[in-house]
Amino acid sequence: SAALSDGSSVPAWNIFGLTVNKVGYQGQVLPVLVASWVLAKLERWLKKRVTESIQLLVVAPVALLFTGFLSYILIGPVTFTLGEWITDGIVSVFDAVPIIGGLLYGLLYAPLVITGMHHTFLAVDLQLIGSTGTTFLWPIVALSNIAQGAAVAGIFVATFLAKKQDEKLRGLAGTSAISAWLGITEPAMFGVNLRYKYPFYSAIIGTAIAGAFITFMDVQASSIGVGGLPAFLSIVVDFWGTFFLAMAIVLVVPFTVTLFIARTKFRNE
């Protein structure tokens, strides 16, 4: 069995001659995504080959049993390691070339939100705060939230300027901009920005620029808290001025780019 950091060993099962560590994957995203994909594929495969009269008794139990077994012996360990590699890779880039690290993290954070993998970096934030008292990752997360809100706000304003008669889009854009500025980006991202694509791209570009800037200026957060506009309360006071400049970048760049493109597109519809 594997050893923990304190020297103790991880309990293990002995299944058909295989030693399988009794490790749960709570809070992990990649194991769940891959296991769900395998389960769905296996269920469809079985439905095509099992007689309809016994499908209820065979398909679900067999699919769950096989996927569960595979999750512990293969999917879990492999995807858990892959997630650690991704996290360690980004952190190592920050250590080697901070500006590139900030640019990369700003560019990748919103796409990571789509997959749910952004949760893996919460542990890195907590570890950094525990060991050094501050974290350099959380400020970029907050800026990403603001950028997504600014992009969807650009869509909201464009509906008025282009006289687009779409009350549903206008209402969704207005409310999701507010929620993104308060740290909840999913309504803005999935409801509007990804639908039109260019607002999403403008948001991650703005975040990348601001991320490189604050990393170069070594902006640190003393805690993790509410993302979006109130996030400055988590930033070390000495860096407030720099962080406010970065906030201006992620407000102006995504909003301006989105507004310009959306206004033209809406008028041509």
Side-chain angles (χ1 to χ4, degrees), residues 46-144:
L46 287 170
K47 279 185 175 179
K48 292 178 181 178
R49 288 160 177 80
V50 175
T51 305
E52 189 174 352
S53 60
I54 60 171
Q55 279 187 3
L56 189 63
L57 296 174
V58 174
V59 174
V62 171
L64 285 170
L65 183 63
F66 183 80
T67 305
F69 182 72
L70 198 62
S71 295
Y72 275 103
I73 66 170
L74 182 64
I75 295 173
V78 170
T79 54
F80 181 77
T81 302
L82 180 60
E84 284 190 325
W85 285 352
I86 293 171
T87 304
D88 293 342
I90 291 181
V91 173
S92 66
V93 173
F94 270 101
D95 291 337
V97 191
I99 295 179
I100 301 299
L103 183 77
L104 252 169
Y105 193 56
L107 201 62
L108 293 176
Y109 183 77
L112 288 172
V113 171
I114 297 172
T115 65
M117 282 187 61
H118 62 298
H119 291 298
T120 62
F121 289 93
L122 181 60
V124 180
D125 278 309
L126 294 174
Q127 183 178 350
L128 286 169
I129 292 172
S131 58
T132 67
T134 58
T135 174
F136 53 83
L137 292 176
W138 177 256
I140 301 176
V141 172
L143 294 175
S144 178

Side-chain angles (χ1 to χ4, degrees), residues 11 32 41 50 59 63 67 69 73 86 90 117 123-124 130 134 165 168 175 185 193 199 205 215 221 243-244 251 266:
V32 176
K41 291 291 184 182
V50 175
V59 174
T67 305
F69 182 72
I73 66 170
I86 293 171
I90 291 181
M117 282 187 61
V124 180
T134 58
Q165 301 303 315
K168 184 178 179 180
T175 55
T185 59
N193 292 351
I205 289 170
T215 307
F243 188 73
F244 286 143
L251 282 168
F266 290 165

